[in-house]
Amino acid sequence: TLAAVSEVLVQFDPARLLDEYPIQGTKATALAAIFHVTEHFSMHTGQIILLTKILANVDLTFYDFSTGKPVHTWHESKRR
């Protein structure tokens, strides 16, 4: 899904960001629609993470707090 989103956004003409489009019975600029979809996707990602933590009873350890400073335990190269 993220690869498909990236492909669409890379090909999108920035000059069209303020163009209005009919979306779900209303009009929105492309920029507003992109922000809305990003926010919506983020919300669902948070729901998935929370439910995974609850149902699996595990800490997903995205960060290591053992030094008192958060350190990323996930890395970009592992997701490819």
Side-chain angles (χ1 to χ4, degrees):
T1 300
L2 292 177
V5 168
S6 182
E7 185 176 325
V8 168
L9 291 176
V10 164
Q11 295 177 11
F12 190 81
D13 179 4
R16 297 177 54 205
L17 284 173
L18 298 180
D19 290 355
E20 289 188 340
Y21 298 88
I23 300 174
Q24 296 181 340
T26 187
K27 285 191 175 188
T29 65
L31 183 60
I34 291 167
F35 279 135
H36 178 79
V37 170
T38 301
E39 178 185 31
H40 190 86
F41 185 84
S42 178
M43 178 191 66
H44 285 303
T45 301
Q47 291 171 330
I48 292 166
I49 290 170
L50 177 63
L51 287 171
T52 300
K53 287 179 170 184
I54 291 170
L55 295 174
N57 195 28
V58 296
D59 181 358
L60 299 177
T61 60
F62 291 127
Y63 298 92
D64 175 7
F65 292 96
S66 64
T67 64
K69 180 181 176 186
V71 177
H72 296 275
T73 57
W74 48 272
H75 301 284
E76 187 73 30
S77 61
K78 289 183 180 180
R79 288 188 271 160
R80 291 185 180 161

Coordinates of all heavy atoms in Angstrom, one line a residue:
T1 N 0.8 -1.2 0.0 CA 0.0 0.0 0.0 C 0.9 1.3 0.0 O 0.6 2.2 -0.8 CB -0.9 0.0 1.2 OG1 -1.8 -1.2 1.1 CG2 -1.8 1.2 1.3
L2 N 1.9 1.3 0.9 CA 2.7 2.4 0.9 C 3.5 2.7 -0.4 O 3.7 3.8 -0.8 CB 3.7 2.3 2.1 CG 3.1 2.4 3.5 CD1 4.1 2.2 4.6 CD2 2.3 3.7 3.7
A3 N 3.9 1.6 -1.0 CA 4.6 1.7 -2.3 C 3.7 2.3 -3.4 O 4.1 3.2 -4.2 CB 5.1 0.4 -2.8
A4 N 2.4 1.9 -3.4 CA 1.4 2.4 -4.3 C 1.2 3.9 -4.0 O 1.1 4.7 -5.0 CB 0.1 1.7 -4.2
V5 N 1.1 4.3 -2.8 CA 0.9 5.7 -2.4 C 2.1 6.5 -2.9 O 1.9 7.6 -3.4 CB 0.7 5.8 -0.9 CG1 0.8 7.3 -0.4 CG2 -0.6 5.2 -0.5
S6 N 3.3 6.0 -2.6 CA 4.5 6.7 -3.0 C 4.5 6.9 -4.5 O 4.9 8.0 -5.0 CB 5.7 5.9 -2.5 OG 6.9 6.6 -2.9
E7 N 4.2 5.9 -5.3 CA 4.2 6.0 -6.7 C 3.2 7.1 -7.2 O 3.5 7.9 -8.1 CB 3.8 4.7 -7.3 CG 3.9 4.6 -8.8 CD 3.6 3.3 -9.4 OE1 4.0 2.3 -8.8 OE2 3.1 3.2 -10.5
V8 N 2.0 7.1 -6.6 CA 1.0 8.2 -7.0 C 1.5 9.6 -6.7 O 1.4 10.5 -7.5 CB -0.3 7.9 -6.3 CG1 -1.3 9.1 -6.5 CG2 -1.0 6.6 -6.9
L9 N 2.1 9.7 -5.5 CA 2.5 11.0 -5.0 C 3.7 11.5 -5.8 O 3.8 12.7 -6.1 CB 2.8 11.0 -3.5 CG 1.6 10.9 -2.6 CD1 2.0 10.8 -1.2 CD2 0.6 12.0 -2.9
V10 N 4.6 10.6 -6.2 CA 5.8 11.0 -7.0 C 5.3 11.5 -8.4 O 5.9 12.5 -8.9 CB 6.8 9.8 -7.1 CG1 7.8 10.1 -8.2 CG2 7.5 9.6 -5.8
Q11 N 4.3 10.9 -8.9 CA 3.8 11.3 -10.2 C 2.9 12.5 -10.2 O 2.6 13.1 -11.3 CB 3.1 10.1 -10.9 CG 4.1 9.0 -11.2 CD 3.4 7.7 -11.8 OE1 2.2 7.8 -12.2 NE2 4.1 6.6 -11.8
F12 N 2.4 12.9 -9.0 CA 1.4 13.9 -8.9 C 2.1 15.3 -9.2 O 3.1 15.6 -8.7 CB 0.7 14.0 -7.6 CG -0.4 14.9 -7.5 CD1 -1.7 14.5 -8.0 CD2 -0.3 16.1 -7.0 CE1 -2.8 15.3 -8.0 CE2 -1.4 17.0 -7.0 CZ -2.6 16.6 -7.5
D13 N 1.5 16.1 -10.1 CA 2.0 17.4 -10.4 C 1.7 18.4 -9.3 O 0.6 18.7 -9.0 CB 1.3 17.9 -11.7 CG 1.8 19.2 -12.2 OD1 2.7 19.8 -11.5 OD2 1.2 19.7 -13.2
P14 N 2.8 18.9 -8.6 CA 2.6 19.8 -7.5 C 1.8 21.1 -7.9 O 1.1 21.7 -7.1 CB 4.0 20.2 -7.1 CG 4.9 19.2 -7.7 CD 4.2 18.6 -8.9
A15 N 1.8 21.5 -9.2 CA 1.0 22.6 -9.6 C -0.5 22.4 -9.5 O -1.3 23.4 -9.5 CB 1.4 22.9 -11.1
R16 N -0.9 21.1 -9.3 CA -2.3 20.8 -9.2 C -2.8 20.7 -7.7 O -3.9 20.3 -7.4 CB -2.6 19.5 -9.9 CG -2.3 19.6 -11.4 CD -2.6 18.3 -12.1 NE -3.9 17.8 -11.9 CZ -4.2 16.5 -12.0 NH1 -3.3 15.6 -12.3 NH2 -5.4 16.1 -11.7
L17 N -1.9 21.0 -6.7 CA -2.2 20.8 -5.3 C -3.4 21.6 -4.9 O -4.2 21.2 -4.0 CB -1.0 21.1 -4.4 CG 0.0 20.0 -4.4 CD1 1.3 20.5 -3.6 CD2 -0.5 18.7 -3.8
L18 N -3.6 22.8 -5.5 CA -4.7 23.6 -5.1 C -6.0 23.5 -6.0 O -7.0 24.1 -5.7 CB -4.3 25.1 -5.0 CG -3.2 25.4 -4.0 CD1 -2.8 26.9 -4.0 CD2 -3.6 25.0 -2.6
D19 N -5.9 22.6 -7.0 CA -7.1 22.3 -7.8 C -8.1 21.6 -6.9 O -7.8 20.8 -6.0 CB -6.7 21.3 -8.9 CG -5.9 22.0 -10.0 OD1 -5.6 23.2 -9.9 OD2 -5.4 21.3 -10.9
E20 N -9.4 21.9 -7.1 CA -10.5 21.3 -6.4 C -11.0 20.0 -7.1 O -11.1 20.0 -8.3 CB -11.6 22.3 -6.1 CG -11.2 23.3 -5.1 CD -12.4 24.2 -4.7 OE1 -13.4 24.2 -5.4 OE2 -12.2 24.8 -3.6
Y21 N -11.4 19.0 -6.3 CA -11.9 17.8 -6.8 C -13.2 17.4 -6.0 O -13.2 17.7 -4.8 CB -10.9 16.7 -6.7 CG -9.6 16.9 -7.5 CD1 -8.5 17.6 -6.9 CD2 -9.5 16.5 -8.8 CE1 -7.4 17.9 -7.6 CE2 -8.3 16.7 -9.5 CZ -7.3 17.4 -8.9 OH -6.1 17.6 -9.6
P22 N -14.1 16.8 -6.7 CA -15.3 16.4 -6.0 C -15.0 15.1 -5.2 O -14.5 14.1 -5.8 CB -16.4 16.1 -7.1 CG -15.5 15.8 -8.3 CD -14.3 16.6 -8.1
I23 N -15.1 15.1 -3.9 CA -14.8 14.0 -3.0 C -15.9 13.8 -2.1 O -16.2 14.7 -1.2 CB -13.5 14.2 -2.3 CG1 -12.3 14.3 -3.3 CG2 -13.2 13.0 -1.4 CD1 -11.0 14.7 -2.7
Q24 N -16.6 12.6 -2.1 CA -17.7 12.2 -1.2 C -18.7 13.4 -1.0 O -19.1 13.7 0.1 CB -17.1 11.8 0.1 CG -16.2 10.6 0.0 CD -15.7 10.1 1.4 OE1 -15.6 10.9 2.3 NE2 -15.3 8.9 1.5
G25 N -19.2 13.9 -2.1 CA -20.3 14.9 -2.1 C -19.9 16.3 -1.8 O -20.7 17.1 -1.6
T26 N -18.6 16.5 -1.7 CA -18.1 17.9 -1.4 C -16.9 18.2 -2.3 O -16.5 17.3 -3.1 CB -17.7 18.0 0.1 OG1 -17.4 19.4 0.4 CG2 -16.6 17.1 0.5
K27 N -16.3 19.4 -2.2 CA -15.1 19.7 -3.0 C -14.0 19.9 -2.0 O -14.1 20.5 -0.9 CB -15.3 21.0 -3.8 CG -16.2 20.7 -5.0 CD -16.2 22.0 -5.9 CE -17.0 21.6 -7.2 NZ -16.8 22.7 -8.1
A28 N -12.8 19.4 -2.4 CA -11.6 19.6 -1.6 C -10.4 19.8 -2.6 O -10.4 19.2 -3.7 CB -11.4 18.3 -0.7
T29 N -9.4 20.5 -2.1 CA -8.2 20.6 -2.9 C -7.5 19.3 -2.8 O -7.7 18.5 -1.9 CB -7.3 21.8 -2.4 OG1 -6.9 21.5 -1.1 CG2 -8.0 23.1 -2.4
A30 N -6.6 19.1 -3.8 CA -5.8 17.9 -3.7 C -4.9 17.9 -2.5 O -4.8 16.8 -1.8 CB -4.9 17.9 -5.0
L31 N -4.4 19.0 -2.1 CA -3.6 19.1 -0.9 C -4.4 18.7 0.4 O -3.9 17.9 1.2 CB -3.0 20.5 -0.7 CG -2.1 20.7 0.5 CD1 -0.9 19.8 0.4 CD2 -1.7 22.2 0.6
A32 N -5.6 19.2 0.5 CA -6.5 18.9 1.6 C -6.8 17.4 1.6 O -6.8 16.7 2.7 CB -7.8 19.7 1.6
A33 N -7.0 16.8 0.4 CA -7.3 15.4 0.3 C -6.1 14.5 0.7 O -6.3 13.5 1.4 CB -7.8 15.1 -1.1
I34 N -5.0 15.0 0.3 CA -3.7 14.2 0.7 C -3.5 14.3 2.2 O -3.2 13.2 2.8 CB -2.5 14.8 -0.1 CG1 -2.6 14.5 -1.6 CG2 -1.2 14.3 0.5 CD1 -1.6 15.2 -2.4
F35 N -3.7 15.4 2.8 CA -3.6 15.5 4.2 C -4.6 14.7 5.0 O -4.3 14.0 6.0 CB -3.7 17.0 4.7 CG -2.4 17.8 4.6 CD1 -2.4 19.0 4.1 CD2 -1.2 17.2 5.0 CE1 -1.3 19.8 3.9 CE2 0.0 18.0 4.8 CZ 0.0 19.2 4.3
H36 N -5.8 14.7 4.5 CA -6.9 13.9 5.1 C -6.6 12.4 5.0 O -6.7 11.7 6.0 CB -8.2 14.2 4.4 CG -9.4 13.4 5.0 ND1 -10.0 13.7 6.2 CD2 -9.9 12.3 4.6 CE1 -10.9 12.8 6.5 NE2 -10.9 11.9 5.5
V37 N -6.2 12.0 3.9 CA -5.9 10.5 3.7 C -4.7 10.1 4.6 O -4.7 9.1 5.2 CB -5.6 10.2 2.2 CG1 -5.0 8.8 2.1 CG2 -6.9 10.3 1.4
T38 N -3.7 11.0 4.7 CA -2.5 10.8 5.5 C -3.0 10.6 7.0 O -2.6 9.7 7.7 CB -1.5 11.9 5.4 OG1 -1.1 12.0 4.0 CG2 -0.3 11.6 6.3
E39 N -3.8 11.5 7.5 CA -4.3 11.5 8.8 C -5.1 10.2 9.1 O -5.0 9.6 10.1 CB -5.2 12.7 9.1 CG -5.8 12.8 10.5 CD -6.7 14.0 10.6 OE1 -7.3 14.4 9.6 OE2 -6.8 14.4 11.8
H40 N -6.0 9.9 8.1 CA -6.8 8.7 8.2 C -6.0 7.4 8.3 O -6.2 6.6 9.1 CB -7.8 8.7 7.0 CG -8.9 7.6 7.1 ND1 -10.0 7.9 7.8 CD2 -8.9 6.4 6.7 CE1 -10.8 6.8 7.7 NE2 -10.1 5.9 7.1
F41 N -5.0 7.3 7.4 CA -4.1 6.2 7.4 C -3.3 6.1 8.7 O -3.2 5.0 9.3 CB -3.1 6.3 6.3 CG -2.2 5.1 6.1 CD1 -2.7 4.0 5.4 CD2 -1.0 5.1 6.6 CE1 -1.9 2.9 5.2 CE2 -0.2 4.0 6.5 CZ -0.6 2.9 5.7
S42 N -2.9 7.2 9.3 CA -2.2 7.2 10.5 C -3.0 6.7 11.7 O -2.6 6.0 12.5 CB -1.7 8.7 10.8 OG -1.0 8.7 12.0
M43 N -4.3 7.1 11.7 CA -5.2 6.7 12.7 C -5.4 5.2 12.7 O -5.3 4.5 13.7 CB -6.6 7.3 12.5 CG -7.6 6.9 13.5 SD -9.3 7.4 13.1 CE -9.6 6.5 11.6
H44 N -5.6 4.6 11.5 CA -5.7 3.2 11.4 C -4.4 2.4 11.8 O -4.5 1.4 12.4 CB -6.2 2.8 10.0 CG -7.6 3.0 9.7 ND1 -8.6 2.5 10.5 CD2 -8.2 3.8 8.8 CE1 -9.8 3.0 10.1 NE2 -9.6 3.7 9.0
T45 N -3.3 3.0 11.4 CA -2.0 2.4 11.8 C -1.9 2.4 13.4 O -1.5 1.3 13.9 CB -0.8 3.2 11.3 OG1 -0.9 3.2 9.8 CG2 0.5 2.6 11.7
G46 N -2.3 3.4 14.0 CA -2.3 3.5 15.5 C -3.3 2.4 16.1 O -3.0 1.8 17.1
Q47 N -4.4 2.2 15.4 CA -5.4 1.2 15.9 C -4.8 -0.2 15.7 O -4.9 -1.0 16.7 CB -6.7 1.3 15.1 CG -7.5 2.5 15.4 CD -8.7 2.7 14.4 OE1 -8.6 2.3 13.2 NE2 -9.7 3.3 14.8
I48 N -4.1 -0.4 14.6 CA -3.5 -1.7 14.4 C -2.4 -2.0 15.5 O -2.3 -3.1 16.0 CB -2.9 -1.9 13.0 CG1 -4.1 -1.9 12.0 CG2 -2.0 -3.1 12.8 CD1 -3.6 -1.6 10.5
I49 N -1.6 -1.0 15.7 CA -0.5 -1.1 16.7 C -1.1 -1.4 18.1 O -0.7 -2.3 18.8 CB 0.4 0.1 16.7 CG1 1.2 0.1 15.4 CG2 1.3 0.1 17.9 CD1 2.0 1.4 15.2
L50 N -2.1 -0.6 18.5 CA -2.7 -0.8 19.8 C -3.3 -2.1 20.0 O -3.1 -2.8 21.0 CB -3.8 0.3 20.1 CG -4.5 0.2 21.4 CD1 -3.6 0.4 22.6 CD2 -5.6 1.2 21.4
L51 N -4.1 -2.6 19.0 CA -4.8 -3.9 19.0 C -3.7 -5.0 19.1 O -3.9 -6.0 19.8 CB -5.7 -4.1 17.9 CG -7.0 -3.2 18.0 CD1 -7.8 -3.3 16.7 CD2 -7.8 -3.7 19.2
T52 N -2.7 -4.9 18.3 CA -1.6 -5.9 18.4 C -1.0 -6.0 19.7 O -0.8 -7.1 20.3 CB -0.5 -5.5 17.3 OG1 -1.1 -5.5 16.0 CG2 0.6 -6.5 17.4
K53 N -0.7 -4.8 20.4 CA -0.2 -4.8 21.7 C -1.1 -5.5 22.7 O -0.7 -6.3 23.6 CB 0.1 -3.4 22.2 CG 1.3 -2.7 21.5 CD 1.5 -1.3 22.1 CE 2.8 -0.7 21.6 NZ 3.0 0.6 22.3
I54 N -2.4 -5.2 22.6 CA -3.4 -5.7 23.5 C -3.6 -7.2 23.3 O -3.5 -8.0 24.3 CB -4.7 -4.9 23.4 CG1 -4.6 -3.5 23.9 CG2 -5.8 -5.7 24.2 CD1 -5.8 -2.6 23.6
L55 N -3.8 -7.6 22.1 CA -4.2 -9.0 21.8 C -3.0 -9.9 21.9 O -3.1 -11.1 22.3 CB -4.8 -9.1 20.4 CG -6.2 -8.4 20.3 CD1 -6.6 -8.4 18.8 CD2 -7.2 -9.0 21.2
A56 N -1.8 -9.4 21.6 CA -0.6 -10.3 21.7 C 0.1 -10.1 23.1 O 1.0 -10.9 23.4 CB 0.4 -10.0 20.6
N57 N -0.3 -9.1 23.8 CA 0.2 -8.8 25.1 C 1.8 -8.7 25.1 O 2.5 -9.3 25.8 CB -0.2 -9.9 26.2 CG 0.1 -9.4 27.6 OD1 0.1 -8.2 27.9 ND2 0.4 -10.4 28.5
V58 N 2.2 -7.9 24.1 CA 3.6 -7.6 23.9 C 3.9 -6.1 23.7 O 3.0 -5.4 23.2 CB 4.2 -8.4 22.7 CG1 4.1 -9.9 22.9 CG2 3.5 -8.0 21.4
D59 N 5.1 -5.7 24.0 CA 5.5 -4.4 23.7 C 6.2 -4.5 22.3 O 7.1 -5.3 22.2 CB 6.5 -3.9 24.7 CG 7.0 -2.5 24.4 OD1 6.6 -1.9 23.4 OD2 7.8 -1.9 25.3
L60 N 5.8 -3.8 21.3 CA 6.4 -3.9 20.0 C 7.8 -3.3 19.9 O 8.5 -3.4 18.9 CB 5.5 -3.2 19.0 CG 4.1 -3.9 18.9 CD1 3.2 -3.2 17.9 CD2 4.2 -5.4 18.6
T61 N 8.3 -2.7 21.0 CA 9.6 -2.1 21.2 C 10.1 -1.3 19.9 O 11.1 -1.6 19.4 CB 10.6 -3.2 21.6 OG1 10.7 -4.2 20.5 CG2 10.3 -3.8 22.9
F62 N 9.3 -0.3 19.6 CA 9.8 0.6 18.5 C 10.9 1.4 18.9 O 11.7 1.9 18.2 CB 8.6 1.5 18.0 CG 7.5 0.7 17.3 CD1 6.2 0.9 17.7 CD2 7.8 -0.1 16.2 CE1 5.2 0.2 17.0 CE2 6.8 -0.8 15.5 CZ 5.5 -0.6 15.9
Y63 N 11.0 1.6 20.3 CA 12.1 2.4 20.8 C 12.7 1.7 22.1 O 12.0 1.0 22.8 CB 11.6 3.8 21.3 CG 11.0 4.7 20.2 CD1 9.7 4.6 19.8 CD2 11.9 5.5 19.4 CE1 9.2 5.4 18.8 CE2 11.4 6.2 18.4 CZ 10.0 6.2 18.1 OH 9.6 6.9 17.0
D64 N 13.9 2.0 22.3 CA 14.6 1.5 23.5 C 14.8 2.7 24.4 O 15.5 3.6 24.1 CB 16.0 0.8 23.1 CG 16.8 0.4 24.3 OD1 16.3 0.5 25.5 OD2 18.0 0.0 24.1
F65 N 14.2 2.6 25.6 CA 14.3 3.7 26.6 C 15.3 3.4 27.7 O 15.3 4.1 28.7 CB 12.9 4.0 27.2 CG 11.9 4.5 26.2 CD1 11.0 3.7 25.5 CD2 11.9 5.9 25.9 CE1 10.1 4.2 24.6 CE2 11.0 6.4 25.0 CZ 10.1 5.5 24.4
S66 N 16.1 2.3 27.6 CA 16.9 1.9 28.7 C 18.0 2.9 29.0 O 18.5 2.9 30.2 CB 17.6 0.5 28.4 OG 18.4 0.7 27.2
T67 N 18.4 3.8 28.1 CA 19.4 4.8 28.4 C 18.8 6.1 28.9 O 19.6 7.0 29.2 CB 20.3 5.1 27.1 OG1 19.4 5.6 26.2 CG2 20.9 3.8 26.6
G68 N 17.5 6.1 29.0 CA 16.8 7.4 29.4 C 16.5 8.3 28.2 O 15.8 9.2 28.3
K69 N 17.1 7.9 27.0 CA 16.8 8.7 25.8 C 16.2 7.7 24.8 O 16.8 6.6 24.6 CB 18.1 9.3 25.3 CG 17.9 10.1 24.0 CD 19.3 10.6 23.5 CE 19.1 11.3 22.2 NZ 20.4 11.7 21.6
P70 N 15.1 8.0 24.1 CA 14.6 7.0 23.2 C 15.5 6.8 22.0 O 16.0 7.7 21.4 CB 13.2 7.7 22.7 CG 13.3 9.1 23.1 CD 14.3 9.2 24.2
V71 N 15.7 5.5 21.7 CA 16.6 5.1 20.5 C 15.7 4.2 19.6 O 15.1 3.3 20.1 CB 17.8 4.3 21.0 CG1 18.6 3.9 19.8 CG2 18.6 5.2 22.0
H72 N 15.7 4.5 18.4 CA 14.9 3.7 17.4 C 15.4 2.3 17.4 O 16.6 2.1 17.3 CB 15.1 4.3 16.0 CG 14.5 5.6 15.8 ND1 13.2 5.9 15.5 CD2 15.1 6.8 15.8 CE1 13.0 7.2 15.4 NE2 14.1 7.8 15.6
T73 N 14.5 1.3 17.5 CA 14.9 -0.1 17.4 C 14.5 -0.7 16.1 O 14.7 -1.8 15.8 CB 14.3 -0.9 18.6 OG1 12.9 -0.7 18.5 CG2 14.8 -0.5 19.9
W74 N 13.8 0.1 15.3 CA 13.4 -0.3 13.9 C 14.2 0.6 12.9 O 14.6 1.7 13.2 CB 11.9 -0.1 13.7 CG 11.4 1.3 14.1 CD1 11.0 1.7 15.3 CD2 11.4 2.5 13.3 NE1 10.7 3.0 15.3 CE2 10.9 3.5 14.1 CE3 11.7 2.8 12.0 CZ2 10.7 4.8 13.6 CZ3 11.5 4.0 11.5 CH2 11.0 5.1 12.3
H75 N 14.5 0.0 11.8 CA 15.3 0.7 10.8 C 14.7 0.6 9.4 O 14.1 -0.4 9.1 CB 16.7 0.1 10.8 CG 17.4 0.1 12.2 ND1 17.9 1.3 12.7 CD2 17.5 -0.8 13.1 CE1 18.4 1.0 13.9 NE2 18.2 -0.2 14.2
E76 N 15.0 1.6 8.7 CA 14.4 1.7 7.3 C 14.9 0.5 6.5 O 14.1 -0.1 5.7 CB 14.9 3.0 6.6 CG 14.3 3.2 5.3 CD 12.9 3.7 5.3 OE1 12.5 4.3 6.3 OE2 12.1 3.4 4.4
S77 N 16.1 0.0 6.6 CA 16.6 -1.0 5.8 C 15.9 -2.4 6.0 O 15.9 -3.2 5.2 CB 18.1 -1.2 6.0 OG 18.4 -1.5 7.3
K78 N 15.4 -2.6 7.2 CA 14.7 -3.8 7.5 C 13.3 -3.9 6.9 O 12.8 -5.0 6.7 CB 14.5 -3.9 9.1 CG 15.8 -4.2 9.8 CD 15.5 -4.3 11.3 CE 16.8 -4.6 12.0 NZ 16.5 -4.8 13.5
R79 N 12.7 -2.8 6.5 CA 11.4 -2.8 5.9 C 11.4 -3.0 4.4 O 10.4 -3.1 3.7 CB 10.7 -1.5 6.2 CG 10.3 -1.4 7.6 CD 9.4 -0.2 7.9 NE 10.3 0.9 8.2 CZ 10.0 2.2 8.1 NH1 8.8 2.5 7.7 NH2 10.8 3.1 8.4
R80 N 12.6 -3.1 3.8 CA 12.7 -3.3 2.3 C 12.8 -4.7 1.9 O 13.2 -5.6 2.6 CB 13.8 -2.5 1.8 CG 13.5 -1.0 1.9 CD 14.6 -0.2 1.3 NE 14.2 1.2 1.5 CZ 15.0 2.2 1.4 NH1 16.3 2.0 1.0 NH2 14.6 3.4 1.6

